[in-house]
Amino acid sequence: MVVITTAIMLINSCGGTGKNNAANEADTLKGLKDFYKDYFPIGVAVAPNSLEGAQAELIKEHFNSLTPENTMKPGPIHPEENRYFWDDADKIVDFAQANGMKVRGHTLCWHSQTGAWMFKDSQGNQVTKEIALARLKEHITQVVTRYKGKVYAWDVLNEAIVDDEDTAKIYRETPWYKICGEEYIADIYQWAHEADPNAVLFYNDYNTEDPVKRDKIYYMLKKLLDAGVPVNAVGLQGHWNITNPTEQNLRDAIDKFSSLGLKVQITELDVSIYTSRSDTVNMGFTPEREKKQIDLYKMAFKMFREKKDVITGVTFWNVYDGRSWLNRGNRKAYPLLFDENLKPKKAYWEVVKF
Ligand code: G3I
């Protein structure tokens, strides 16, 4: 009886739709990272509490790289001059190590989420360039050394280029830039490299597909490379929406940065249903918006696969639609590949269909 049943199952699984069903069942056992194993690691930004319960299981199934969403930023990890807070970042690194995942460090130098103490003396006055640079060197050396051999890549500098149509304005007027001028940029790559010569050192930014901003980033990177600064790669954050970027602009950005000999990663991917940051009304995940989101994800992943020689990683910014930095109260952005119940969306099935 058992033999007969098995034989019937075999006959079914060998013909027509039976074969497709068998293949589909096998696919549901594979995670995103497995579909992309011959291409690049698939990462996700996490908080320590993402690493528990159902989210932890989903992360283990689908991702093989983690980025701490906030816990390695200067403010959280170095809240006071002589105090580092390692616990939350350590939890993420330990989870990654226990599960054979890579870790991208984010970020060593940024104008946001950085303790105000870095720029002030004990009287509350702005510090000199020498003191600011000494503090930044100490910060980078401590953080990179602690995770040496565990964090394979660092976003050394985050968002230092200004969003301005004026092509003459290159750098954002951050406290670092105002106090130190542009030389701090070469220094921070050098310090990170000295602390871990094997780490892949990134410049990371958003709106990298916008031709004006892209060219400013290119200008800065070329200048650094010409001066022998150890910058190795560019992070296109990928905070996109259902109408942006165009295929052409995305292709041009990847080609332009990689023409410098730099590797490229998509470091913070999400595709919002909102086309403007100022949209505040909850618009809903209508079939039309869902279709546009699917089209954008399909276009982007097809290009990433085509360019796998230069694309060395794709990281999503958060795990599932229920918890995204883009959700504001009632306004939900539905930007990821897993829905509010942690289930793969239609866009997921399109991204793994190739
Ligand atoms: O941890 C505090 C908590 O103690 C406090 O009670 C609470 C009250 O608001 O705030 C918590 O901090 C928040 C933190 O996220 C952790 O949840 C901050 O207010 C909030 O501003 C912060 O937002 C983060 C944002 O960066 C800050 O600029 C987002 O989670 C994070 O996703 C986002 O990530 C950035 C990348 O680093 C760089 N690229 C853009 C990207 C999206 O903005």
Side-chain angles (χ1 to χ4, degrees):
M1 184 63 188
V2 173
V3 175
I4 294 167
T5 314
T6 310
I8 292 168
M9 283 170 65
L10 275 172
I11 291 164
N12 281 344
S13 71
C14 289
T17 54
K19 190 172 179 188
N20 288 339
N21 286 343
N24 290 343
E25 274 163 31
D27 285 353
T28 62
L29 302 175
K30 284 165 82 180
L32 202 43
K33 64 178 173 24
D34 306 308
F35 288 99
Y36 279 89
K37 70 178 186 343
D38 297 328
Y39 292 87
F40 32 71
I42 303 283
V44 64
V46 293
N49 66 11
S50 320
L51 308 176
E52 295 159 9
Q55 273 196 78
E57 294 313 309
L58 183 123
I59 290 168
K60 286 191 261 181
E61 189 177 341
H62 291 281
F63 301 96
N64 50 8
S65 176
L66 300 182
T67 302
E69 182 181 7
N70 287 297
T71 60
M72 283 187 182
K73 290 171 177 172
I77 210 165
H78 195 175
E80 293 171 51
E81 181 157 20
N82 294 312
R83 183 166 72 86
Y84 288 85
F85 174 71
W86 305 112
D87 294 8
D88 284 349
D90 284 356
K91 275 183 204 151
I92 294 170
V93 172
D94 291 349
F95 182 92
Q97 296 244 295
N99 292 289
M101 299 168 174
K102 290 168 165 282
V103 181
R104 295 191 82 260
H106 175 81
T107 171
L108 296 171
C109 183
W110 195 20
H111 59 276
S112 178
Q113 285 179 291
T114 299
W117 66 265
M118 281 235 186
F119 310 110
K120 304 275 183 210
D121 66 16
S122 55
Q123 319 304 306
N125 299 316
Q126 183 173 294
V127 291
T128 62
K129 176 175 173 178
E130 288 65 35
I131 291 176
L133 289 176
R135 286 179 176 171
L136 192 51
K137 180 175 186 183
E138 165 73 11
H139 171 79
I140 290 174
T141 305
Q142 290 287 335
V143 175
V144 175
T145 301
R146 183 177 183 88
Y147 297 113
K148 184 175 178 177
K150 296 181 177 174
V151 167
Y152 83 103
W154 279 101
D155 290 332
V156 176
L157 181 60
N158 198 42
E159 302 172 7
I161 297 294
V162 73
D163 291 289
D164 193 317
E165 287 301 304
D166 182 348
T167 54
K169 291 188 186 145
I170 305 287
Y171 297 102
R172 187 193 288 267
E173 296 274 328
T174 69
W176 295 117
Y177 184 77
K178 284 192 214 156
I179 298 172
C180 307
E182 70 176 274
E183 308 102 85
Y184 80 96
I185 297 176
D187 289 342
I188 61 178
Y189 284 94
Q190 194 54 44
W191 298 330
H193 181 67
E194 283 164 13
D196 184 355
N198 293 321
V200 186
L201 305 183
F202 278 74
Y203 174 70
N204 191 52
D205 212 331
Y206 61 87
N207 282 351
T208 43
E209 304 74 35
D210 170 71
V212 174
K213 190 162 179 189
R214 177 199 70 203
D215 288 355
K216 293 180 185 185
I217 296 170
Y218 177 91
Y219 163 87
M220 176 187 75
L221 290 168
K222 181 157 189 336
K223 198 165 167 185
L224 291 171
L225 289 166
D226 287 347
V229 173
V231 54
N232 313 120
V234 188
L236 317 189
Q237 290 186 2
H239 291 300
W240 296 333
N241 67 55
I242 52 177
T243 62
N244 183 57
T246 63
E247 183 171 356
Q248 190 64 52
N249 282 354
L250 177 58
R251 183 181 303 283
D252 289 350
I254 296 171
D255 289 348
K256 184 138 196 176
F257 297 133
S258 60
S259 75
L260 287 168
L262 299 170
K263 295 296 184 193
V264 174
Q265 290 196 3
I266 314 305
T267 53
E268 306 186 12
L269 182 57
D270 45 26
V271 179
S272 176
I273 64 162
Y274 298 95
T275 54
S276 158
R277 274 173 184 250
S278 52
D279 285 334
T280 50
V281 180
N282 197 28
M283 298 213 291
F285 197 48
T286 60
E288 190 197 352
R289 293 194 184 100
E290 180 181 48
K291 165 88 173 55
K292 286 185 177 170
Q293 185 185 64
I294 289 171
D295 289 346
L296 199 130
Y297 266 124
K298 268 171 77 170
M299 176 278 283
F301 272 86
K302 183 164 181 282
M303 193 178 309
F304 303 157
R305 291 192 299 271
E306 271 169 24
K307 296 187 178 293
K308 70 172 187 172
D309 291 346
V310 292
I311 303 279
T312 59
V314 176
T315 293
F316 288 84
W317 206 246
N318 300 132
V319 181
Y320 71 116
D321 282 352
R323 192 197 163 290
S324 158
W325 72 286
L326 292 164
N327 293 340
R328 313 251 157 78
N330 198 30
R331 195 202 94 146
K332 293 180 179 171
Y334 305 95
L336 299 160
L337 294 186
F338 297 93
D339 71 12
E340 291 177 287
N341 299 311
L342 301 170
K343 297 280 178 269
K345 291 159 63 177
K346 284 184 198 161
Y348 172 95
W349 295 112
E350 294 298 331
V351 160
V352 300
K353 197 195 287 174
F354 56 89

